[in-house]
Amino acid sequence: RYDKPKLNPLDTCAVLYTSGTTSRPKGVMITQGNYVWSAEIMSRTQGLRETDRHLVCLPYFHINAQTYSTLPSLAVGADIVLMERFSKTRFWNIVQEHKPTVWSYVPALTKMLVMEPPGPHEKNHSFRLWGGGAVATALEQKFNVRTIGWFGMTETITTPVVTSPIDPGKNRAVGFVNPGYRIRIVGEDGKPCGPNETGELEILGVPGISLMKGYLKNPEATAEALSPEGWFKTGDNVTIDEEGYVFYVNRKKDMLKVGGENVASSEIERVLMMHPAVYEAAVIGIPDNVLQEVPKAFIILNPGKSASEQEIIDYCKGKLATFKVPRAVEFRKEFPRATLEKVAKKQLAEEESEKRRAATTSG
């Protein structure tokens, strides 16, 4: 006789690892209850119906494909269109053949689609909804599709901040707090932030249900990130406007300290991306004898475009405060990547440090 094991909602059933773009990856314990929660909340978040078809082209070792797409689709009886891997050249042909209605995307994938020459199906397709980091009116106009913003991490299981499909949304806004969560934005002084003030996003949920159970074999990291009351420190800076819309700013650790001034790498990167020759940009800090740390930009150019280091620096001078302008520019054909095609800035910084050590030794 075989007796089925008794399962508790708080039993760990999976361990997913964080991307480790700015620190060493940590194992996030996902429970039975987490997966049930994700199916319920994400089907509501996207307004999924039995008639939907969810396109999945992100890796299954990541929380996105599991809890944003697959589990909520299974919960409502929707279909899943599974791509073995994302292909910018085959994307619209696959869409035309299999007629998906919903897609969870990351910016790296839509950048590739934008770079492709216009095709016959990019505005004539079956999609009703794309979910990603923020409402993107440029994508809506180019591809004739509705976008909703959402913020989520492996540790939060689903999306504590989201734009409802019935909300017209606001360009570049993530959205409002999702049912089942509470949020607060905390400044460096530990006090709540007011409208349009930048601070760290903290999320209140239930560990093991709407938040992770904890980090595998790492109680110190768990205690640092997750309070006994259930407040999770995301490590991400956001702002909230007078209407209550949340806007993503940057990763808290992705800040430079230039002559004592806090500088967000993302602010410099946004300016660099406005240059017509720039396809993608990443900024890290490099040592400086006077200011201790200054920005360095790594650039991937658009196909067929050219630019010099001085041209890029001069372009930034008219759009950024002097101390925020990159002191050096390095052109690359590709960037080191972590999961979901995020730029692995930690590796960029390590490569830069090694290059400087080698130059010092040879000198």
Side-chain angles (χ1 to χ4, degrees), residues 70 116 169 215 251 256 311 359:
T70 301
E116 282 291 287
Y215 293 117
R251 189 74 182 148
L256 310 182
E311 179 185 341

Side-chain angles (χ1 to χ4, degrees), residues 258-316:
V258 182
E261 296 284 346
N262 287 325
V263 177
S265 297
S266 58
E267 179 185 0
I268 306 173
E269 289 162 356
R270 279 195 293 270
V271 170
L272 290 166
M273 291 289 291
M274 291 166 60
H275 191 288
V278 175
Y279 170 68
E280 191 170 6
V283 172
I284 65 169
I286 57 174
D288 183 80
N289 292 333
V290 177
L291 299 175
Q292 293 187 317
E293 186 177 46
V294 293
K296 175 176 179 177
F298 293 82
I299 301 290
I300 296 176
L301 294 173
N302 281 313
K305 300 289 186 178
S306 63
S308 67
E309 178 179 6
Q310 192 58 51
E311 179 185 341
I312 296 295
I313 293 173
D314 290 343
Y315 179 81
C316 292

Side-chain angles (χ1 to χ4, degrees), residues 17 27 148 154 159 317 349 351:
Y17 281 83
I148 61 171
T154 309
T159 55
K317 284 180 179 178
E351 292 174 3

